[in-house]
Amino acid sequence: SPPSPFWVRTKAVKNILSGLNGIKVVKTTKVLDETQLDQLFQEYLEEGYEGQMIRASQAYYQTKRTSDLLKRKTFQDKEFPIVGFKEGLGNRKGCIVLQLKNLDGQLFDSVPVGPVPYLMSLWKSRDQLIGKMAVVKYQNLSSEGIPRFNNTVKIRETNLEEWTPKN
């Protein structure tokens, strides 16, 4: 059959799946302006969703990433002390993975953002990173208080006495 836009495909899927147990079609809302888009985004976050999918309703299906389908999520950032490091694996051998500590004293890994040569230079000077602060961008915290889907976006000098973990 010839390609069809999203709204046509959605109707067909609803007809095929109607009446099947255990399958739920996700609600799709047509949005007319940015204000409505932002309101729905806030509602989704309050309902516990991690974000919002934004699709061009006239777009045809593509088997690649496209600007016709966008993912919208919020991110947080926070500083954590660098307490150790590991070497990356596979094609990241010779690159650094930072070991950071949260306020509860739990350790977690974070990969700095940047090209491989930069990550390799950090690995070579790894001992000098202990005690510095990593600015970490993450989606949310796990139930254990560990940043999920995190990356280190900046490394800065600090006085660790300013950063006091809980006992």
Side-chain angles (χ1 to χ4, degrees):
S1 68
S4 55
F6 175 74
W7 67 270
V8 172
R9 296 192 316 271
T10 300
K11 281 185 181 179
V13 167
K14 284 181 182 177
N15 288 336
I16 292 168
L17 297 179
S18 66
L20 293 178
N21 292 330
I23 297 177
K24 181 180 176 186
V25 177
V26 176
K27 178 182 166 188
T28 301
T29 305
K30 186 173 185 175
V31 175
L32 302 174
D33 59 33
E34 194 173 334
T35 301
Q36 186 183 10
L37 188 71
D38 291 343
Q39 288 171 343
L40 283 169
F41 182 61
Q42 288 306 314
E43 286 177 29
Y44 297 152
L45 294 177
E46 289 167 12
E47 292 171 11
Y49 294 101
E50 66 181 48
Q52 178 181 55
M53 298 300 293
I54 303 167
R55 181 185 299 272
S57 65
Q58 297 299 322
Y60 292 92
Y61 182 77
Q62 297 183 51
T63 58
K64 60 182 182 180
R65 288 185 184 228
T66 168
S67 61
D68 291 332
L69 178 61
L70 304 174
K71 195 183 299 185
R72 181 182 184 189
K73 295 181 178 183
T74 57
F75 287 92
Q76 303 172 45
D77 63 28
K78 192 171 185 177
E79 291 187 351
F80 300 93
I82 299 170
V83 296
F85 41 79
K86 298 178 185 174
E87 184 176 10
L89 302 173
N91 64 0
R92 294 296 175 131
K93 186 167 178 56
C95 296
I96 197 160
V97 176
L98 299 174
Q99 289 183 304
L100 310 177
K101 187 189 299 189
N102 70 8
L103 280 171
D104 293 325
Q106 297 168 298
L107 299 179
F108 65 96
D109 294 342
S110 185
V111 176
V113 173
V116 169
Y118 169 69
L119 301 178
M120 292 177 117
S121 72
L122 290 176
W123 176 249
K124 288 177 184 168
S125 62
R126 59 192 175 267
D127 292 327
Q128 298 162 19
L129 297 175
I130 302 295
K132 292 185 179 183
M133 296 298 280
V135 179
V136 176
K137 178 180 167 184
Y138 59 96
Q139 192 173 323
N140 55 21
L141 296 174
S142 71
S143 57
E144 295 83 31
I146 303 295
R148 296 178 67 227
F149 310 111
N150 77 73
N151 285 101
T152 295
V153 294
K154 184 177 180 181
I155 296 172
R156 71 173 195 84
E157 301 287 336
T158 189
N159 176 353
L160 274 182
E161 293 173 10
E162 297 170 5
W163 195 90
T164 310
K166 296 176 187 173
N167 289 332

mmCIF file of all heavy atoms in Angstrom, residues 113-137:
data_model
loop_
_atom_site.group_PDB
_atom_site.id
_atom_site.type_symbol
_atom_site.label_atom_id
_atom_site.label_comp_id
_atom_site.label_asym_id
_atom_site.label_seq_id
_atom_site.Cartn_x
_atom_site.Cartn_y
_atom_site.Cartn_z
ATOM 1 N N VAL A 113 31.047 14.109 28.877
ATOM 2 C CA VAL A 113 30.651 14.413 27.509
ATOM 3 C C VAL A 113 31.878 14.925 26.767
ATOM 4 O O VAL A 113 32.626 15.746 27.294
ATOM 5 C CB VAL A 113 29.538 15.489 27.505
ATOM 6 C CG1 VAL A 113 29.227 15.958 26.092
ATOM 7 C CG2 VAL A 113 28.288 14.963 28.188
ATOM 8 N N GLY A 114 32.078 14.452 25.556
ATOM 9 C CA GLY A 114 33.190 14.947 24.748
ATOM 10 C C GLY A 114 33.708 13.895 23.803
ATOM 11 O O GLY A 114 33.382 12.712 23.925
ATOM 12 N N PRO A 115 34.545 14.315 22.865
ATOM 13 C CA PRO A 115 35.104 13.369 21.902
ATOM 14 C C PRO A 115 36.113 12.419 22.568
ATOM 15 O O PRO A 115 36.655 12.714 23.639
ATOM 16 C CB PRO A 115 35.784 14.270 20.867
ATOM 17 C CG PRO A 115 36.034 15.555 21.576
ATOM 18 C CD PRO A 115 34.970 15.688 22.627
ATOM 19 N N VAL A 116 36.365 11.320 21.919
ATOM 20 C CA VAL A 116 37.260 10.295 22.457
ATOM 21 C C VAL A 116 38.632 10.853 22.839
ATOM 22 O O VAL A 116 39.140 10.530 23.917
ATOM 23 C CB VAL A 116 37.363 9.091 21.484
ATOM 24 C CG1 VAL A 116 38.481 8.143 21.878
ATOM 25 C CG2 VAL A 116 36.030 8.360 21.420
ATOM 26 N N PRO A 117 39.269 11.707 22.016
ATOM 27 C CA PRO A 117 40.584 12.225 22.436
ATOM 28 C C PRO A 117 40.531 12.977 23.774
ATOM 29 O O PRO A 117 41.448 12.871 24.585
ATOM 30 C CB PRO A 117 40.988 13.166 21.291
ATOM 31 C CG PRO A 117 40.267 12.623 20.099
ATOM 32 C CD PRO A 117 38.950 12.126 20.633
ATOM 33 N N TYR A 118 39.443 13.695 24.022
ATOM 34 C CA TYR A 118 39.281 14.397 25.305
ATOM 35 C C TYR A 118 39.156 13.389 26.445
ATOM 36 O O TYR A 118 39.796 13.535 27.491
ATOM 37 C CB TYR A 118 38.059 15.310 25.242
ATOM 38 C CG TYR A 118 37.658 15.881 26.575
ATOM 39 C CD1 TYR A 118 38.455 16.831 27.226
ATOM 40 C CD2 TYR A 118 36.476 15.487 27.195
ATOM 41 C CE1 TYR A 118 38.087 17.361 28.450
ATOM 42 C CE2 TYR A 118 36.104 16.017 28.423
ATOM 43 C CZ TYR A 118 36.914 16.939 29.040
ATOM 44 O OH TYR A 118 36.547 17.466 30.268
ATOM 45 N N LEU A 119 38.347 12.348 26.259
ATOM 46 C CA LEU A 119 38.159 11.332 27.296
ATOM 47 C C LEU A 119 39.466 10.583 27.564
ATOM 48 O O LEU A 119 39.743 10.199 28.697
ATOM 49 C CB LEU A 119 37.051 10.362 26.899
ATOM 50 C CG LEU A 119 35.670 10.986 26.661
ATOM 51 C CD1 LEU A 119 34.668 9.931 26.232
ATOM 52 C CD2 LEU A 119 35.196 11.742 27.883
ATOM 53 N N MET A 120 40.280 10.409 26.528
ATOM 54 C CA MET A 120 41.590 9.759 26.697
ATOM 55 C C MET A 120 42.540 10.678 27.473
ATOM 56 O O MET A 120 43.309 10.200 28.310
ATOM 57 C CB MET A 120 42.176 9.393 25.334
ATOM 58 C CG MET A 120 41.400 8.292 24.638
ATOM 59 S SD MET A 120 42.049 7.951 23.003
ATOM 60 C CE MET A 120 42.564 6.257 23.250
ATOM 61 N N SER A 121 42.462 11.977 27.223
ATOM 62 C CA SER A 121 43.329 12.903 27.959
ATOM 63 C C SER A 121 42.939 12.932 29.441
ATOM 64 O O SER A 121 43.806 13.033 30.312
ATOM 65 C CB SER A 121 43.279 14.313 27.354
ATOM 66 O OG SER A 121 42.050 14.941 27.620
ATOM 67 N N LEU A 122 41.637 12.813 29.722
ATOM 68 C CA LEU A 122 41.199 12.736 31.128
ATOM 69 C C LEU A 122 41.722 11.458 31.780
ATOM 70 O O LEU A 122 42.118 11.465 32.949
ATOM 71 C CB LEU A 122 39.676 12.803 31.231
ATOM 72 C CG LEU A 122 39.021 14.138 30.907
ATOM 73 C CD1 LEU A 122 37.500 14.013 30.971
ATOM 74 C CD2 LEU A 122 39.504 15.237 31.851
ATOM 75 N N TRP A 123 41.717 10.358 31.033
ATOM 76 C CA TRP A 123 42.220 9.088 31.582
ATOM 77 C C TRP A 123 43.706 9.215 31.927
ATOM 78 O O TRP A 123 44.154 8.751 32.970
ATOM 79 C CB TRP A 123 41.979 7.956 30.594
ATOM 80 C CG TRP A 123 42.545 6.636 31.051
ATOM 81 C CD1 TRP A 123 43.589 5.958 30.513
ATOM 82 C CD2 TRP A 123 42.093 5.856 32.164
ATOM 83 N NE1 TRP A 123 43.823 4.801 31.204
ATOM 84 C CE2 TRP A 123 42.920 4.711 32.234
ATOM 85 C CE3 TRP A 123 41.090 5.999 33.110
ATOM 86 C CZ2 TRP A 123 42.764 3.729 33.200
ATOM 87 C CZ3 TRP A 123 40.927 5.016 34.082
ATOM 88 C CH2 TRP A 123 41.764 3.900 34.118
ATOM 89 N N LYS A 124 44.465 9.882 31.064
ATOM 90 C CA LYS A 124 45.899 10.034 31.306
ATOM 91 C C LYS A 124 46.190 10.902 32.528
ATOM 92 O O LYS A 124 47.182 10.704 33.211
ATOM 93 C CB LYS A 124 46.584 10.626 30.064
ATOM 94 C CG LYS A 124 46.666 9.643 28.921
ATOM 95 C CD LYS A 124 47.282 10.267 27.685
ATOM 96 C CE LYS A 124 47.261 9.276 26.531
ATOM 97 N NZ LYS A 124 47.582 9.911 25.255
ATOM 98 N N SER A 125 45.316 11.851 32.827
ATOM 99 C CA SER A 125 45.523 12.742 33.986
ATOM 100 C C SER A 125 44.531 12.431 35.111
ATOM 101 O O SER A 125 44.223 13.294 35.932
ATOM 102 C CB SER A 125 45.396 14.201 33.548
ATOM 103 O OG SER A 125 44.098 14.452 33.049
ATOM 104 N N ARG A 126 44.080 11.182 35.181
ATOM 105 C CA ARG A 126 43.011 10.776 36.102
ATOM 106 C C ARG A 126 43.305 11.052 37.572
ATOM 107 O O ARG A 126 42.417 11.435 38.320
ATOM 108 C CB ARG A 126 42.662 9.310 35.895
ATOM 109 C CG ARG A 126 43.818 8.351 36.104
ATOM 110 C CD ARG A 126 43.451 6.953 35.596
ATOM 111 N NE ARG A 126 44.563 6.034 35.661
ATOM 112 C CZ ARG A 126 45.406 5.800 34.667
ATOM 113 N NH1 ARG A 126 45.293 6.459 33.524
ATOM 114 N NH2 ARG A 126 46.380 4.925 34.808
ATOM 115 N N ASP A 127 44.538 10.864 38.002
ATOM 116 C CA ASP A 127 44.860 11.062 39.424
ATOM 117 C C ASP A 127 44.633 12.508 39.862
ATOM 118 O O ASP A 127 44.343 12.757 41.031
ATOM 119 C CB ASP A 127 46.299 10.636 39.711
ATOM 120 C CG ASP A 127 46.489 9.128 39.573
ATOM 121 O OD1 ASP A 127 45.535 8.378 39.875
ATOM 122 O OD2 ASP A 127 47.570 8.696 39.142
ATOM 123 N N GLN A 128 44.760 13.439 38.938
ATOM 124 C CA GLN A 128 44.574 14.856 39.261
ATOM 125 C C GLN A 128 43.093 15.235 39.374
ATOM 126 O O GLN A 128 42.764 16.341 39.801
ATOM 127 C CB GLN A 128 45.246 15.724 38.201
ATOM 128 C CG GLN A 128 46.744 15.508 38.141
ATOM 129 C CD GLN A 128 47.343 16.021 36.842
ATOM 130 O OE1 GLN A 128 46.753 16.829 36.153
ATOM 131 N NE2 GLN A 128 48.523 15.532 36.515
ATOM 132 N N LEU A 129 42.175 14.314 39.012
ATOM 133 C CA LEU A 129 40.744 14.613 39.049
ATOM 134 C C LEU A 129 40.121 14.342 40.420
ATOM 135 O O LEU A 129 39.057 14.875 40.734
ATOM 136 C CB LEU A 129 40.006 13.798 37.982
ATOM 137 C CG LEU A 129 40.398 14.086 36.537
ATOM 138 C CD1 LEU A 129 39.683 13.120 35.598
ATOM 139 C CD2 LEU A 129 40.090 15.528 36.181
ATOM 140 N N ILE A 130 40.778 13.506 41.232
ATOM 141 C CA ILE A 130 40.235 13.161 42.550
ATOM 142 C C ILE A 130 40.075 14.438 43.377
ATOM 143 O O ILE A 130 40.989 15.244 43.490
ATOM 144 C CB ILE A 130 41.150 12.154 43.293
ATOM 145 C CG1 ILE A 130 41.338 10.886 42.462
ATOM 146 C CG2 ILE A 130 40.599 11.834 44.685
ATOM 147 C CD1 ILE A 130 40.094 10.069 42.231
ATOM 148 N N GLY A 131 38.865 14.610 43.941
ATOM 149 C CA GLY A 131 38.585 15.782 44.770
ATOM 150 C C GLY A 131 37.961 16.931 44.009
ATOM 151 O O GLY A 131 37.432 17.857 44.619
ATOM 152 N N LYS A 132 37.997 16.876 42.682
ATOM 153 C CA LYS A 132 37.320 17.909 41.904
ATOM 154 C C LYS A 132 35.831 17.579 41.854
ATOM 155 O O LYS A 132 35.408 16.484 42.232
ATOM 156 C CB LYS A 132 37.906 17.996 40.494
ATOM 157 C CG LYS A 132 39.339 18.512 40.492
ATOM 158 C CD LYS A 132 39.850 18.711 39.088
ATOM 159 C CE LYS A 132 41.285 19.259 39.154
ATOM 160 N NZ LYS A 132 41.799 19.543 37.815
ATOM 161 N N MET A 133 35.039 18.538 41.385
ATOM 162 C CA MET A 133 33.591 18.347 41.303
ATOM 163 C C MET A 133 33.182 18.106 39.856
ATOM 164 O O MET A 133 33.674 18.770 38.942
ATOM 165 C CB MET A 133 32.859 19.569 41.842
ATOM 166 C CG MET A 133 33.103 19.831 43.321
ATOM 167 S SD MET A 133 32.537 18.498 44.398
ATOM 168 C CE MET A 133 30.802 18.842 44.474
ATOM 169 N N ALA A 134 32.267 17.173 39.676
ATOM 170 C CA ALA A 134 31.693 16.890 38.361
ATOM 171 C C ALA A 134 30.286 17.464 38.326
ATOM 172 O O ALA A 134 29.477 17.195 39.212
ATOM 173 C CB ALA A 134 31.651 15.384 38.119
ATOM 174 N N VAL A 135 30.011 18.267 37.327
ATOM 175 C CA VAL A 135 28.647 18.761 37.101
ATOM 176 C C VAL A 135 27.966 17.713 36.229
ATOM 177 O O VAL A 135 28.393 17.457 35.105
ATOM 178 C CB VAL A 135 28.641 20.139 36.418
ATOM 179 C CG1 VAL A 135 27.212 20.598 36.173
ATOM 180 C CG2 VAL A 135 29.406 21.157 37.251
ATOM 181 N N VAL A 136 26.922 17.093 36.779
ATOM 182 C CA VAL A 136 26.271 15.961 36.129
ATOM 183 C C VAL A 136 24.872 16.362 35.672
ATOM 184 O O VAL A 136 24.085 16.906 36.444
ATOM 185 C CB VAL A 136 26.196 14.759 37.091
ATOM 186 C CG1 VAL A 136 25.440 13.600 36.477
ATOM 187 C CG2 VAL A 136 27.601 14.332 37.505
ATOM 188 N N LYS A 137 24.594 16.081 34.404
ATOM 189 C CA LYS A 137 23.258 16.282 33.844
ATOM 190 C C LYS A 137 22.575 14.915 33.860
ATOM 191 O O LYS A 137 23.160 13.923 33.435
ATOM 192 C CB LYS A 137 23.385 16.816 32.416
ATOM 193 C CG LYS A 137 22.078 17.016 31.710
ATOM 194 C CD LYS A 137 22.338 17.554 30.298
ATOM 195 C CE LYS A 137 21.105 17.476 29.457
ATOM 196 N NZ LYS A 137 21.360 17.894 28.074
#
